[in-house]
mmCIF file of all heavy atoms in Angstrom:
data_model
loop_
_atom_site.group_PDB
_atom_site.id
_atom_site.type_symbol
_atom_site.label_atom_id
_atom_site.label_comp_id
_atom_site.label_asym_id
_atom_site.label_seq_id
_atom_site.Cartn_x
_atom_site.Cartn_y
_atom_site.Cartn_z
ATOM 1 N N ALA A 169 4.062 6.793 -22.757
ATOM 2 C CA ALA A 169 4.786 6.000 -21.771
ATOM 3 C C ALA A 169 3.898 4.936 -21.148
ATOM 4 O O ALA A 169 4.425 3.955 -20.535
ATOM 5 C CB ALA A 169 5.231 6.949 -20.628
ATOM 6 N N GLY A 170 2.590 4.958 -21.288
ATOM 7 C CA GLY A 170 1.696 4.010 -20.706
ATOM 8 C C GLY A 170 1.486 4.224 -19.213
ATOM 9 O O GLY A 170 1.778 5.306 -18.749
ATOM 10 N N ASN A 171 0.940 3.192 -18.568
ATOM 11 C CA ASN A 171 0.630 3.294 -17.166
ATOM 12 C C ASN A 171 0.992 1.944 -16.477
ATOM 13 O O ASN A 171 0.138 1.251 -16.027
ATOM 14 C CB ASN A 171 -0.893 3.599 -16.994
ATOM 15 C CG ASN A 171 -1.297 3.725 -15.538
ATOM 16 O OD1 ASN A 171 -0.658 4.421 -14.800
ATOM 17 N ND2 ASN A 171 -2.341 3.050 -15.182
ATOM 18 N N ILE A 172 2.318 1.744 -16.379
ATOM 19 C CA ILE A 172 2.788 0.529 -15.798
ATOM 20 C C ILE A 172 3.151 0.812 -14.350
ATOM 21 O O ILE A 172 4.158 1.532 -14.144
ATOM 22 C CB ILE A 172 3.975 0.003 -16.638
ATOM 23 C CG1 ILE A 172 3.713 -0.178 -18.113
ATOM 24 C CG2 ILE A 172 4.503 -1.354 -16.062
ATOM 25 C CD1 ILE A 172 4.862 -0.495 -18.974
ATOM 26 N N PRO A 173 2.482 0.241 -13.393
ATOM 27 C CA PRO A 173 2.798 0.495 -12.014
ATOM 28 C C PRO A 173 4.267 0.162 -11.670
ATOM 29 O O PRO A 173 4.734 -0.891 -12.018
ATOM 30 C CB PRO A 173 1.885 -0.455 -11.243
ATOM 31 C CG PRO A 173 0.664 -0.631 -12.162
ATOM 32 C CD PRO A 173 1.323 -0.636 -13.577
ATOM 33 N N GLY A 174 4.867 1.163 -10.965
ATOM 34 C CA GLY A 174 6.296 0.926 -10.582
ATOM 35 C C GLY A 174 7.295 1.189 -11.709
ATOM 36 O O GLY A 174 8.490 1.137 -11.464
ATOM 37 N N LYS A 175 6.796 1.525 -12.880
ATOM 38 C CA LYS A 175 7.699 1.734 -14.018
ATOM 39 C C LYS A 175 7.410 3.005 -14.739
ATOM 40 O O LYS A 175 8.320 3.821 -14.947
ATOM 41 C CB LYS A 175 7.601 0.505 -14.984
ATOM 42 C CG LYS A 175 8.572 0.578 -16.116
ATOM 43 C CD LYS A 175 8.532 -0.635 -16.991
ATOM 44 C CE LYS A 175 9.573 -0.561 -18.171
ATOM 45 N NZ LYS A 175 9.450 -1.730 -19.082
ATOM 46 N N THR A 176 6.157 3.154 -15.171
ATOM 47 C CA THR A 176 5.875 4.447 -15.901
ATOM 48 C C THR A 176 4.605 5.168 -15.336
ATOM 49 O O THR A 176 4.214 6.171 -15.841
ATOM 50 C CB THR A 176 5.591 4.149 -17.404
ATOM 51 O OG1 THR A 176 4.385 3.330 -17.495
ATOM 52 C CG2 THR A 176 6.722 3.414 -18.007
ATOM 53 N N GLN A 177 4.086 4.638 -14.246
ATOM 54 C CA GLN A 177 2.897 5.253 -13.680
ATOM 55 C C GLN A 177 3.208 6.496 -12.868
ATOM 56 O O GLN A 177 3.907 6.442 -11.886
ATOM 57 C CB GLN A 177 2.186 4.219 -12.747
ATOM 58 C CG GLN A 177 0.841 4.756 -12.298
ATOM 59 C CD GLN A 177 0.074 3.749 -11.412
ATOM 60 O OE1 GLN A 177 0.583 3.469 -10.313
ATOM 61 N NE2 GLN A 177 -1.037 3.186 -11.869
ATOM 62 N N THR A 178 2.699 7.588 -13.385
ATOM 63 C CA THR A 178 2.921 8.972 -12.715
ATOM 64 C C THR A 178 1.680 9.205 -11.852
ATOM 65 O O THR A 178 0.712 8.461 -11.822
ATOM 66 C CB THR A 178 3.106 10.060 -13.670
ATOM 67 O OG1 THR A 178 1.995 10.126 -14.513
ATOM 68 C CG2 THR A 178 4.364 9.813 -14.558
ATOM 69 N N VAL A 179 1.760 10.281 -11.062
ATOM 70 C CA VAL A 179 0.621 10.574 -10.185
ATOM 71 C C VAL A 179 -0.623 10.812 -10.963
ATOM 72 O O VAL A 179 -1.731 10.337 -10.615
ATOM 73 C CB VAL A 179 0.886 11.907 -9.357
ATOM 74 C CG1 VAL A 179 -0.270 12.323 -8.561
ATOM 75 C CG2 VAL A 179 2.085 11.635 -8.447
ATOM 76 N N SER A 180 -0.587 11.524 -12.147
ATOM 77 C CA SER A 180 -1.779 11.852 -12.908
ATOM 78 C C SER A 180 -2.490 10.557 -13.426
ATOM 79 O O SER A 180 -3.658 10.415 -13.349
ATOM 80 C CB SER A 180 -1.378 12.759 -14.063
ATOM 81 O OG SER A 180 -0.894 13.983 -13.659
ATOM 82 N N THR A 181 -1.612 9.663 -13.936
ATOM 83 C CA THR A 181 -2.226 8.423 -14.448
ATOM 84 C C THR A 181 -2.705 7.529 -13.379
ATOM 85 O O THR A 181 -3.706 6.751 -13.451
ATOM 86 C CB THR A 181 -1.190 7.643 -15.367
ATOM 87 O OG1 THR A 181 0.034 7.337 -14.583
ATOM 88 C CG2 THR A 181 -0.837 8.417 -16.572
ATOM 89 N N ALA A 182 -1.965 7.606 -12.163
ATOM 90 C CA ALA A 182 -2.380 6.772 -11.018
ATOM 91 C C ALA A 182 -3.797 7.282 -10.535
ATOM 92 O O ALA A 182 -4.581 6.466 -10.094
ATOM 93 C CB ALA A 182 -1.389 6.905 -9.902
ATOM 94 N N ILE A 183 -3.989 8.591 -10.476
ATOM 95 C CA ILE A 183 -5.330 9.188 -10.093
ATOM 96 C C ILE A 183 -6.398 8.608 -10.960
ATOM 97 O O ILE A 183 -7.454 8.245 -10.469
ATOM 98 C CB ILE A 183 -5.235 10.631 -10.015
ATOM 99 C CG1 ILE A 183 -4.291 11.183 -8.922
ATOM 100 C CG2 ILE A 183 -6.638 11.282 -9.825
ATOM 101 C CD1 ILE A 183 -4.026 12.672 -8.972
ATOM 102 N N PHE A 184 -6.132 8.668 -12.267
ATOM 103 C CA PHE A 184 -7.081 8.195 -13.267
ATOM 104 C C PHE A 184 -7.492 6.722 -12.988
ATOM 105 O O PHE A 184 -8.653 6.380 -12.970
ATOM 106 C CB PHE A 184 -6.516 8.384 -14.704
ATOM 107 C CG PHE A 184 -7.410 7.807 -15.691
ATOM 108 C CD1 PHE A 184 -8.546 8.470 -16.203
ATOM 109 C CD2 PHE A 184 -7.144 6.635 -16.321
ATOM 110 C CE1 PHE A 184 -9.370 7.962 -17.151
ATOM 111 C CE2 PHE A 184 -7.923 6.105 -17.273
ATOM 112 C CZ PHE A 184 -9.028 6.765 -17.768
ATOM 113 N N VAL A 185 -6.452 5.926 -12.810
ATOM 114 C CA VAL A 185 -6.743 4.454 -12.570
ATOM 115 C C VAL A 185 -7.410 4.259 -11.231
ATOM 116 O O VAL A 185 -8.309 3.376 -11.138
ATOM 117 C CB VAL A 185 -5.381 3.691 -12.606
ATOM 118 C CG1 VAL A 185 -5.628 2.217 -12.239
ATOM 119 C CG2 VAL A 185 -4.819 3.781 -13.992
ATOM 120 N N ALA A 186 -7.017 5.000 -10.195
ATOM 121 C CA ALA A 186 -7.612 4.788 -8.889
ATOM 122 C C ALA A 186 -9.133 5.162 -8.938
ATOM 123 O O ALA A 186 -9.936 4.442 -8.322
ATOM 124 C CB ALA A 186 -6.910 5.698 -7.870
#
Side-chain angles (χ1 to χ4, degrees):
N171 181 47
I172 306 171
K175 186 177 179 182
T176 66
Q177 187 179 66
T178 60
V179 174
S180 297
T181 57
I183 291 172
F184 174 79
V185 172

